Amino acid sequence: MKIAVIAHLKYPIAEPFAGGLEMHTNLLVRQLRANGHAVTLFAADGSDYRLNVEPICRRTAIDGVGTAEANDIAFFREHHAYLQLMTRLRGRDFDVVHNNALHYLPVAMADTLPMPMVSVLHTPPFCWLESGIRSSRTENLSFVGVSRAVAQMWGHVVAVDRVIHNGIDLDSFRFAPDADPDPYLIWYGRIVPEKGTHLAIRAARATPYRLRICGPISDQAYFDAEVAPLLGDGVVYEGHLSHDRLAGLIGGARAALVTPRWDEPYGLVVAEALACGVPIAAFDRGAISEIITGQTGVLARPDDPDALAGAAMQAVTLDRAACRMRAERFCDATVMTAAYEALYRDRIDAAAQSAQLADHGPALQPEPANRAWA
């Protein structure tokens, strides 16, 4: 198949990844290309050239851009970039478009394309994307939820056609049967208020374990006010690490702390830690309960560091081999990619049938032999 993949434009699709969506898009493109498909990635300038990228916009990463972004130049830059892209795609010969963007224009303009689009819902509803979906015509458009939780969140806006859980490259997160002799917990991800880094620190301090923190500082004001003052005395910020260094650090941990302060749509950090054999202690939000089992993680009351500390003390006793097995059964990127390929084929076949009907119209009925003409 000839597949166009639309990325979001806040950050380039390149290591070190700014977050889970960048890593997911990178992995999906690599998997599809490895399976023999001709894939073109439409992404921000600076994305990994090995992904066959056609840059459509300069980097638009500006701290604080969100649902109140209409007065920000990044909003207009993205709007123009996606408008140009959707116009250009009308003249391209792709079989299907896979939309990983968080912008409203690709879904709102999907019906202008000659090929079907599969649009993936990676977040809970927010105003701009919800508006685009409500204004779209769904005949040419299928929606995928990355978890049952996401599908339920969007249920009042649009029917989700399928749930396809995100996958990871299990080879990139190798199983570590033994933790580091010097015991520590790990927290990693984008350092922003909704990820709750400061709550992980408070929880770790209620355990006998050190805490190592990794990830990009995406909100400097939050880091300075809520995280930096808590560093030291066994709590270390390691920085934004390369993939290899990060995977090694994850694998050495006794447990991973996961502290979302919102309904986590999926939680790639959970899948990655499990693949390394690391049990999970997490706030019970969003889709996390879909990924872990009682043998691989412990859920805690949201926003409660003491409850999370108790969960961590239970998690460190769980079997690391069971964690890896759960990742292999539930989080394998090859399974995810196969599910998307099946959906692409279904949508391509449905589009071909619709085009055939449109070309030939309904079958003509013969005139009755005894019709009386006035």
Side-chain angles (χ1 to χ4, degrees), residues 30-157:
R30 288 194 290 110
Q31 289 280 327
L32 290 171
R33 286 168 60 83
N35 288 355
H37 304 292
V39 184
T40 302
L41 174 63
F42 296 93
D45 187 31
S47 296
D48 189 340
Y49 70 92
R50 293 171 295 182
L51 302 177
N52 191 30
V53 178
E54 288 191 22
I56 59 173
C57 180
R58 294 181 180 177
R59 303 183 191 191
T60 60
I62 297 178
D63 293 343
V65 174
T67 58
E69 63 191 356
N71 293 324
D72 198 296
I73 187 63
F75 174 86
F76 298 103
R77 189 181 300 144
E78 286 189 323
H79 176 93
H80 184 65
Y82 281 120
L83 183 61
Q84 282 191 318
L85 172 62
M86 295 304 293
T87 301
R88 286 162 46 200
L89 285 176
R90 296 178 198 172
R92 302 290 288 269
D93 62 346
F94 293 107
D95 297 309
V96 66
V97 174
H98 179 114
N99 176 36
N100 261 353
L102 305 179
H103 203 271
Y104 61 88
L105 270 178
V107 291
M109 297 180 66
D111 66 324
T112 69
L113 299 180
M115 72 288 288
M117 174 185 285
V118 171
S119 192
V120 185
L121 300 171
H122 292 277
T123 69
F126 63 93
C127 62
W128 293 108
L129 184 55
E130 182 174 338
S131 175
I133 289 175
R134 287 186 183 277
S135 67
S136 66
R137 292 174 54 196
T138 58
E139 292 86 350
N140 201 39
L141 183 58
S142 291
F143 289 97
V144 171
V146 297
S147 64
R148 294 192 301 274
V150 163
Q152 291 170 1
M153 293 175 203
W154 281 95
H156 69 288
V157 179

Side-chain angles (χ1 to χ4, degrees), residues 62-301:
I62 297 178
D63 293 343
V65 174
T67 58
E69 63 191 356
N71 293 324
D72 198 296
I73 187 63
F75 174 86
F76 298 103
R77 189 181 300 144
E78 286 189 323
H79 176 93
H80 184 65
Y82 281 120
L83 183 61
Q84 282 191 318
L85 172 62
M86 295 304 293
T87 301
R88 286 162 46 200
L89 285 176
R90 296 178 198 172
R92 302 290 288 269
D93 62 346
F94 293 107
D95 297 309
V96 66
V97 174
H98 179 114
N99 176 36
N100 261 353
L102 305 179
H103 203 271
Y104 61 88
L105 270 178
V107 291
M109 297 180 66
D111 66 324
T112 69
L113 299 180
M115 72 288 288
M117 174 185 285
V118 171
S119 192
V120 185
L121 300 171
H122 292 277
T123 69
F126 63 93
C127 62
W128 293 108
L129 184 55
E130 182 174 338
S131 175
I133 289 175
R134 287 186 183 277
S135 67
S136 66
R137 292 174 54 196
T138 58
E139 292 86 350
N140 201 39
L141 183 58
S142 291
F143 289 97
V144 171
V146 297
S147 64
R148 294 192 301 274
V150 163
Q152 291 170 1
M153 293 175 203
W154 281 95
H156 69 288
V157 179
V158 68
V160 170
D161 298 281
R162 297 188 192 182
V163 171
I164 300 177
H165 290 94
N166 286 336
I168 61 170
D169 181 357
L170 295 176
D171 291 337
S172 296
F173 294 91
R174 296 188 179 280
F175 176 50
D178 300 304
D180 193 278
D182 188 6
Y184 64 88
L185 306 173
I186 191 166
W187 184 100
Y188 69 103
R190 291 186 302 115
I191 300 178
V192 292
E194 62 266 27
K195 295 291 187 180
T197 320
H198 66 293
L199 297 178
I201 297 174
R202 292 174 182 169
R205 290 205 183 281
T207 75
Y209 299 103
R210 297 184 298 113
L211 178 65
R212 303 175 77 169
I213 298 170
C214 312
I217 300 173
S218 299
D219 188 323
Q220 189 67 50
Y222 167 69
F223 181 85
D224 293 342
E226 301 287 343
V227 178
L230 300 179
L231 298 178
D233 191 23
V235 179
V236 179
Y237 173 54
E238 302 284 352
H240 189 190
L241 305 181
S242 67
H243 175 81
D244 289 343
R245 290 183 61 199
L246 175 62
L249 200 65
I250 296 169
R254 300 299 172 101
L257 303 183
V258 185
T259 54
R261 306 198 72 191
W262 67 318
D263 288 329
E264 193 73 58
Y266 181 73
L268 281 173
V269 297
V270 176
E272 293 161 0
L274 290 177
C276 294
V278 178
I280 306 298
F283 289 150
D284 187 5
R285 288 191 187 276
I288 295 176
S289 62
E290 297 178 37
I291 307 174
I292 66 171
T293 64
Q295 292 72 47
T296 61
V298 183
L299 295 172
R301 188 167 51 252

Side-chain angles (χ1 to χ4, degrees), residues 12-42:
I13 308 303
E15 290 194 50
F17 297 112
L21 183 51
E22 292 79 18
M23 178 179 288
H24 165 79
T25 302
N26 173 281
L27 178 59
L28 176 68
V29 172
R30 288 194 290 110
Q31 289 280 327
L32 290 171
R33 286 168 60 83
N35 288 355
H37 304 292
V39 184
T40 302
L41 174 63
F42 296 93

